[in-house]
Amino acid sequence: MSRRTLSVPTNAALPHTQRMPATSPDVSKTLSRLSRQSLLELVLEWLDKKNRDYCQPFLARGPDDDEDGDAPYTAATSEEEVIEAYKELKARKGGKREVVDRILEGDWKHGITLYQLAMAETRYLLDHPNSLRWNALQLSKVTGSGGTSADDSVEVIDESAATSLPRFHATTFVLNLQKEVAPVTKAHYYITRVKAFGISLLRKEDDGKGLERLDVRMEDPFPPTSVQAEASEEPWTPDVHLSFQGSHVFAGVRQLVEQGIVDGEKMPGWMAGDAGVSVGVVKEGRVREKA
């Protein structure tokens, strides 16, 4: 889903602690999809010590921290106090609306982090495993000696070599994925291991925006004329700076190519985001990140 209310001036991965406003319809919709029981278990999971750094509730550290006398909920003074409040809710019957209201108007009125949203969406998926279609693919080594083919140039899959495949490391995969996606859009990455299914789940959520600015400086010399070449004159290097700005720079460049305004075959790859650089220097036709 698109997070239209979130805009962060970076092309790095969005941090776990980036907060969405508690008043955001996306936040309310995500939490309201869960049952009361799942909501309460989710909150207690947020407050677990291993997740607490990314799911901090609003706490009154001093007498002036919660000055809103009209607030429907009194701010707690510790995580343990918040835990006890939700354990009490879990011990009695009620509707999920009161749980959602307490989360958004009380204990997390300062906003819900992207990490919390990811956990909420993952819990909904696990509560409703049949809500999506699941496809399973097996990695196999491609070799020219695993079987026969009418065309000797066609490679076939060697099933016997499957055991020699390198181990898939989820964290490394996510880091490389972020590197490739960064020029195109800003995204938050959340990966978790589901022991019940024996799988790792990766959630890729963007902020609804792409890279908003591309700045490069050209350091290539101007192509010399035949007269300059014969005279062995020093090449002239113009001082050229290019700046592209917009809600999604590379999507805009793509539209220019599709409309025939820009020749896509002659356009350098860095203009399409292939180099993963948003601020850099172009020299000898290649762009490098500006230090």
Side-chain angles (χ1 to χ4, degrees), residues 27-40:
V27 172
S28 178
K29 181 180 179 181
T30 299
L31 297 181
S32 298
R33 295 170 72 191
L34 298 174
S35 66
R36 174 187 170 91
Q37 182 68 15
S38 286
L39 268 175
L40 292 170

Side-chain angles (χ1 to χ4, degrees), residues 41-77:
E41 291 177 357
L42 175 65
V43 171
L44 294 177
E45 192 175 356
W46 286 348
L47 294 169
D48 190 277
K49 290 184 178 180
K50 66 180 180 181
N51 299 317
R52 199 173 290 181
D53 288 343
Y54 306 124
C55 310
Q56 282 290 334
F58 180 86
L59 299 177
R61 300 296 186 183
D64 299 328
D65 286 353
D66 193 15
E67 298 178 349
D68 188 0
D70 297 328
Y73 301 95
T74 302
T77 57

Side-chain angles (χ1 to χ4, degrees), residues 9 11 23 33 40 44 71 75 103 110 144 168 192 198 204 222 256:
N11 64 340
T23 55
R33 295 170 72 191
L40 292 170
L44 294 177
I103 292 172
H110 58 322
F168 181 82
T192 184
K204 194 173 129 218
F222 197 80
L256 293 177

Side-chain angles (χ1 to χ4, degrees), residues 84-140:
E84 288 303 316
Y86 285 91
K87 283 184 176 179
E88 290 179 8
L89 287 173
K90 191 176 181 181
R92 63 177 175 81
K93 294 182 179 180
K96 68 176 178 181
R97 186 70 252 174
E98 68 171 330
V99 181
V100 174
D101 288 346
R102 180 174 183 111
I103 292 172
L104 300 181
E105 298 177 18
D107 300 309
W108 280 275
K109 63 182 179 181
H110 58 322
I112 300 293
T113 65
L114 294 179
Y115 189 86
Q116 289 175 277
L117 278 182
M119 291 179 67
E121 292 180 355
T122 301
R123 177 166 284 273
Y124 177 81
L125 180 62
L126 298 180
D127 288 347
H128 305 84
N130 296 325
S131 62
L132 296 175
R133 175 178 292 181
W134 298 76
N135 292 320
L137 301 177
Q138 179 181 358
L139 290 176
S140 297

Side-chain angles (χ1 to χ4, degrees), residues 12 14 26 105-106 119 200 291:
L14 297 177
D26 288 332
E105 298 177 18
M119 291 179 67
S200 294

Side-chain angles (χ1 to χ4, degrees), residues 254-290:
R254 185 179 67 245
Q255 288 181 356
L256 293 177
V257 173
E258 292 172 349
Q259 295 170 7
I261 300 174
V262 174
D263 188 340
E265 293 185 358
K266 295 182 179 179
M267 183 183 72
W270 55 264
M271 283 188 64
D274 294 350
V277 174
S278 58
V279 179
V281 175
V282 175
K283 193 168 185 178
E284 297 179 353
R286 296 180 178 274
V287 67
R288 57 183 174 84
E289 192 168 6
K290 186 176 180 180

